[in-house]
Amino acid sequence: MMQRRQILAGLVAGGALGLAGCATGTGSANKAKVLVVGGGYGGATAAKYIRLLSDHSIDVMMVEPNRQFVSCPISNLVIAGMKTMADITNPYDGLSSKHGVRIVHDRVASIDAQKKTATLAGGTVVAYDKLVLAPGIDFMWDQTEGLQAAHAAGQILHAWKAGEETMALRRQLQAMRDGGTYAIAIPEAPYRCPPGPYERASVVAAYLQKHKPKSKVLILDANQDVTSKGPLFKKAWKELYGPMVEYRPQHKVTAVDGKTNTLKFDVQEDLKADVVNVLPVMRAGALAVQTGLANANGRWCHVNFINFESTAAKDIHVIGDAIQVAQGMPKSGHMANSHAKVTAAALVAELQGMEINPHPMLTNVCMSYVDATHVIHVASVHEYERIKKSFFTIGGSGGVSDVRSDLEGRYAEAWAANIWADVLR
Ligand SMILES: Cc1cc2nc3c(=O)[nH]c(=O)nc-3n(C[C@H](O)[C@H](O)[C@H](O)COP(=O)(O)OP(=O)(O)OC[C@H]3O[C@@H](n4cnc5c(N)ncnc54)[C@H](O)[C@@H]3O)c2cc1C
């Protein structure tokens, strides 16, 4: 605590703690100050690239409660026992040692968009010229009766934010009897990582096939059909797992009973399973909602796509899963990393009095494992259209795999290693 306060005290400006644009009496006098909130795929990338693209002339502070970066991509393989937590955990050190990002391990409790200050949970007030908000997602517990209590009791997990819960779900699967049922319930889109639930069902099936072959995997989907790479997933389930995997569309969970592991639906009969994995309805991270930035149905944040500035607050730029997406834009780590680079370039241009790139582009690749080694992908390139003020997928720019393959499995390993290096080192 003392050490953190000292770091922040080094940024004192005119008596107020912080990253003030008019900072005096510090090594960073007169430098523009950017505060990045959240050190996930979006925030950490933005912090690094603002430093890089400004030739280290802009001060960047990143506030993130977690001491290490734990990746959601690849976390399904940890749940299935094919990778370890160590494989998906990376240090934040490179951002500070190589790029000079000031990292503060705390939580931003509130933002005052008028005064351009943020107050940390520890009480410190930080002033900024520009704020990049990348808080990821939070859950709308009230949409599913009984879910919050069952989750708090450790009975019904989501494991949709990688960390301790990833291992807790792993332990539930290890404890399940051979012949038991694992049920995963998927909310209506939009949610974080469209193919993620189907990947999880696939690799859990691979684990059960090997260790508890009499078991069953039930995929209970609130959507009309598989929301990403549908034909490839269905082919894999049929060919690799046969009757072990059962997909049921249009199954919207309305309530759960954690004591009996029962799921209740809006239409169908109640259903019990041995391990119940419910992905709650999602929305932008709580801080975005609380700051009044979730102006798309109180769930997601509208942004001006040219620079990802919130349409509700000047000088606050929202990126990653928290935004109301443009057409064909998934909520993915790759996309958050792409948002961050466009935003970093725009912020640096604005702060240095240059013209913003009028034609930014974004890329996305989502790789999904269907067993321990075979992978399928979907890719796309998105361009900003000036007249429509939004991003659109460029026709023919991407596509999906023809077949699952272990070559793509090796690409997926490389994708993870490369993006972690790009975000953090
Ligand atoms: C099982 C699973 C598999 C996935 N697989 C893939 C994949 O293969 N490829 C892919 O591209 N994407 C994948 N994703 C999606 C990907 O993880 C997300 O899209 C990505 O993490 C979004 O980045 P973000 O920066 O918006 O949010 P996050 O990466 O979640 O980062 C948000 C950060 O903000 C911090 N934070 C929140 N509130 C505050 C606050 N008040 N103060 C300070 N910090 C705060 C949090 O601690 C967190 O570190 C997967 C997701 C899951 C769940």
Side-chain angles (χ1 to χ4, degrees):
M1 174 63 87
M2 189 58 202
Q3 195 188 8
R4 198 188 75 225
R5 288 214 175 270
Q6 279 164 350
I7 294 168
L8 290 166
L11 298 165
V12 166
L17 280 170
L19 271 170
C22 56
T24 55
T26 75
S28 55
N30 302 321
K31 279 188 172 183
K33 319 289 176 193
V34 176
L35 176 63
V36 177
V37 182
Y41 275 86
T45 309
K48 170 179 160 180
Y49 275 86
I50 292 167
R51 292 287 293 164
L52 275 179
L53 297 177
S54 71
D55 212 7
H56 302 108
S57 68
I58 293 176
D59 271 358
V60 177
M61 179 192 281
M62 186 181 91
V63 182
E64 162 61 51
N66 297 323
R67 296 264 155 191
Q68 291 179 300
F69 177 99
V70 184
S71 173
C72 282
I74 311 292
S75 69
N76 284 333
L77 274 66
V78 177
I79 291 165
M82 297 154 185
K83 295 271 184 200
T84 65
M85 285 303 284
D87 292 327
I88 61 166
T89 304
N90 285 280
Y92 277 117
D93 308 4
L95 288 179
S96 40
S97 63
K98 284 197 192 162
H99 304 290
V101 174
R102 260 174 280 219
I103 303 177
V104 177
H105 289 296
D106 200 343
R107 179 168 283 281
V108 171
S110 63
I111 297 170
D112 187 328
Q114 299 299 320
K115 291 189 185 145
K116 295 176 68 167
T117 58
T119 303
L120 310 194
T124 306
V125 178
V126 181
Y128 60 82
D129 295 312
K130 292 271 190 189
L131 187 146
V132 177
L133 182 59
I137 51 146
D138 270 307
F139 304 112
M140 300 174 79
W141 296 107
D142 58 347
Q143 300 289 302
T144 316
E145 200 187 317
L147 185 55
Q148 189 163 20
H151 178 260
Q155 187 65 27
I156 297 185
L157 304 174
H158 52 74
W160 218 240
K161 290 185 181 187
E164 282 176 15
E165 216 171 308
T166 308
M167 282 311 293
L169 182 57
R170 166 96 193 116
R171 285 191 293 274
Q172 285 191 348
L173 286 167
Q174 284 174 311
M176 189 176 97
R177 70 191 159 92
D178 188 8
T181 298
Y182 161 78
I184 181 167
I186 306 166
E188 279 170 323
Y191 58 85
R192 159 175 283 183
C193 193
Y198 312 109
E199 177 189 65
R200 180 172 293 175
S202 305
V203 294
V204 166
Y207 161 73
L208 295 175
Q209 190 178 55
K210 197 164 165 195
H211 299 279
K212 307 177 191 218
K214 291 187 227 134
S215 306
K216 199 160 171 72
V217 172
L218 260 185
I219 307 166
L220 304 162
D221 196 341
N223 297 288
Q224 299 281 326
D225 204 346
V226 176
T227 60
S228 176
K229 297 175 269 198
L232 286 162
F233 273 118
K234 286 181 180 167
K235 190 166 156 50
W237 295 333
K238 192 168 166 213
E239 292 175 1
L240 298 174
Y241 309 114
M244 175 185 259
V245 174
E246 191 181 328
Y247 176 72
R248 296 188 190 168
Q250 298 179 57
H251 276 60
K252 184 175 169 185
V253 175
T254 53
V256 302
D257 182 343
K259 291 198 183 79
T260 56
N261 267 5
T262 304
L263 293 166
K264 296 171 193 288
F265 304 91
D266 56 351
V267 177
Q268 299 85 357
E269 294 284 298
D270 295 0
L271 187 153
K272 278 189 193 181
D274 298 82
V275 174
V276 177
N277 180 195
V278 177
L279 311 186
V281 177
M282 298 170 207
R283 69 176 184 196
L287 183 62
V289 177
Q290 172 198 322
T291 312
L293 307 178
N295 50 0
N297 289 330
R299 268 183 93 180
W300 309 109
C301 305
H302 278 300
V303 295
N304 291 310
F305 282 108
I306 189 77
N307 62 357
F308 289 80
E309 187 171 40
S310 160
T311 59
K314 199 169 153 8
D315 294 321
I316 298 182
H317 300 250
V318 189
I319 57 173
D321 286 356
I323 71 163
Q324 170 70 22
V325 292
Q327 183 210 59
M329 184 188 276
K331 292 187 183 295
S332 75
H334 194 124
M335 185 51 82
N337 170 268
S338 251
H339 291 170
K341 289 173 184 171
V342 168
T343 303
L347 288 201
V348 171
E350 283 178 23
L351 290 168
Q352 298 188 337
M354 296 182 295
E355 196 201 337
I356 297 182
N357 174 9
H359 190 212
M361 310 269 270
L362 302 165
T363 59
N364 187 69
V365 182
C366 280
M367 322 274 297
S368 303
Y369 285 78
V370 291
D371 63 16
T373 55
H374 290 84
V375 164
I376 54 181
H377 81 268
V378 57
S380 50
V381 181
H382 308 247
E383 69 177 337
Y384 181 77
E385 284 192 18
R386 194 174 48 86
I387 311 268
K388 294 181 182 156
K389 294 186 167 43
S390 191
F391 280 97
F392 292 88
T393 312
I394 300 175
S397 64
V400 295
S401 310
D402 292 332
V403 289
R404 61 178 182 272
S405 73
D406 54 3
L407 176 62
E408 289 213 23
R410 295 203 288 282
Y411 292 159
E413 296 251 359
W415 174 87
N418 285 330
I419 200 160
W420 294 337
D422 189 38
V423 173
L424 297 164
R425 291 198 289 275

